[in-house]
Amino acid sequence: MLQAQDVHFCIKNQPIIDQASVNLRPGELTVLVGPNGAGKSTLFKILSGENPCKHGTVRYNGRSIHQYKTKELARIRAVMPQHSELTFPFRSIEVVEMGLFASGSDRAAEIISEVMLATETWYLRDKLYGNLSGGEKQRIQFARVLAQVWEPKPFPRYIMLDEPVSSMDIAFQHKAMNILQSVKERNVAVLVILHDLNMTAHYADRVVLLKKGLIFKQGSVEDTITSENLAWVFDHPIRVIPGADSAAPFVQTNPNFIEKLSLTLS
Ligand SMILES: Nc1ncnc2c1ncn2[C@@H]1O[C@H](COP(=O)(O)OP(=O)(O)OP(=O)(O)O)[C@@H](O)[C@H]1O
């Protein structure tokens, strides 16, 4: 399990993340949700180890993140940041291969073709990464992090993705989330930042609602994705319609509110 306890992050004495505690459990898909500037990417970077937390602790499988060497960490957690630009003219397949730099696997070629087939990127393999469209780049980065956790291992691992589907078309957004749902069954904890609340309601096992650097609520979809919670977190009227039987709830926003707002501004 990944255990983050009371993590805190300040920039110029301004708290960006304040006393956040989160556990990521293998087999669970956790979605981090909140408005722009709430601190989602900052918390994500603390959990992934990119931002050292100024107070609090982050432990992977019982060991402090600081005790891991870079390669050791790469064997247990994969990170897809919000933006991944590369200056060197890599072919797309070479970008995916970067996911295996620490693996030492003798199945490298098979893993690469499996993840590129799963992400429908095999046809892009010889294209220069820099020439791909935004959505294609995202799919290649997605394939890269999948490669890192693709082979089953006997110890818990973590895959963390910051807005991984933001440039993908609607069909592939669902394919990507379905792939993550299968990956979590391989003793992997999944952490995703999403802005799409319906996607969150549909795929999350746990939701963490963040507002102004504070965790407002965390728990099941049923406990977090409610009209009251979302309206408060986003400061916007949002209605959650409960799903029939075991279907996910449906999140509806109110377009009339936007009209009133634009009249106020003009
Ligand atoms: N290196 C930095 N220097 C100054 N301010 C920063 C830095 N990193 C983050 N911030 C500020 O911290 C706040 C949280 O940023 P963060 O990127 O974590 O938000 P977010 O919830 O991921 O937002 P979004 O949904 O827009 O991606 C923002 O106000 C941002 O401007």
Side-chain angles (χ1 to χ4, degrees):
M1 182 158 75
L2 186 158
Q3 295 161 293
Q5 191 69 42
D6 287 332
V7 296
H8 186 89
F9 191 83
C10 277
I11 293 176
K12 293 184 185 159
N13 291 328
Q14 285 294 316
I16 307 291
I17 290 295
D18 205 3
Q19 292 196 311
S21 294
V22 179
N23 290 335
L24 302 181
R25 297 178 186 84
E28 276 186 359
L29 192 156
T30 301
V31 181
L32 194 47
V33 171
N36 292 140
K40 301 180 297 297
S41 295
T42 306
L43 178 58
F44 177 97
K45 288 176 192 166
I46 293 171
L47 300 180
S48 69
E50 187 185 330
N51 278 351
C53 58
K54 307 221 168 136
H55 299 285
T57 54
V58 177
R59 300 174 80 80
Y60 280 72
N61 302 347
R63 236 173 107 194
S64 165
I65 193 167
H66 305 300
Q67 294 172 339
Y68 285 88
K69 298 197 176 96
T70 310
K71 270 198 169 180
E72 269 185 310
L73 207 49
R75 281 188 207 112
I76 60 164
R77 70 101 177 82
V79 184
M80 178 172 165
Q82 204 177 99
H83 304 290
S84 311
E85 284 310 321
L86 296 168
T87 43
F88 194 81
F90 288 108
R91 287 185 304 137
S92 298
I93 192 165
E94 291 172 322
V95 176
V96 181
E97 284 165 352
M98 287 174 195
L100 291 179
F101 90 99
S103 79
S105 173
D106 51 12
R107 286 192 65 250
E110 287 99 316
I111 294 171
I112 298 301
S113 68
E114 284 169 21
V115 295
M116 293 191 84
L117 289 171
T119 54
E120 297 171 24
T121 52
W122 185 243
Y123 73 102
L124 298 171
R125 64 192 176 281
D126 290 321
K127 273 197 155 191
L128 284 180
Y129 177 79
N131 290 343
L132 301 183
S133 72
E136 288 170 339
K137 278 185 183 157
Q138 228 172 23
R139 278 155 67 163
I140 290 293
Q141 290 297 339
F142 184 51
R144 175 184 63 77
V145 287
L146 284 179
Q148 236 174 305
V149 294
W150 198 248
E151 259 194 329
K153 296 280 179 198
F155 45 85
R157 287 172 304 158
Y158 307 86
I159 182 167
M160 304 173 168
L161 311 99
D162 189 345
E163 297 189 34
V165 300
S166 58
S167 300
M168 292 177 187
D169 63 63
I170 186 71
F172 204 79
Q173 287 186 18
H174 285 285
K175 279 184 196 149
M177 294 307 295
N178 272 293
I179 292 171
L180 290 175
Q181 280 201 321
S182 343
V183 163
K184 76 181 187 188
E185 302 304 333
R186 301 176 185 181
N187 202 12
V188 173
V190 181
L191 175 70
V192 195
I193 297 180
L194 292 178
H195 277 294
D196 186 325
L197 297 171
N198 280 306
M199 195 76 98
T200 302
H202 196 81
Y203 291 102
D205 297 305
R206 283 181 69 76
V207 179
V208 178
L209 295 178
L210 202 63
K211 179 169 177 153
K212 294 185 180 165
L214 289 166
I215 294 179
F216 167 63
K217 213 148 233 155
Q218 57 179 315
S220 65
V221 167
E222 200 185 5
D223 290 343
T224 53
I225 302 294
T226 66
S227 307
E228 295 74 21
N229 288 345
L230 297 180
W232 164 252
V233 166
F234 288 96
D235 199 14
H236 182 87
I238 294 177
R239 193 166 147 223
V240 178
I241 301 161
D245 302 323
S246 57
F250 180 67
V251 181
Q252 201 180 40
T253 53
N254 183 350
N256 294 332
F257 178 75
I258 303 291
E259 263 174 46
K260 279 186 209 147
L261 186 69
S262 53
L263 283 176
T264 318
L265 289 174
S266 59

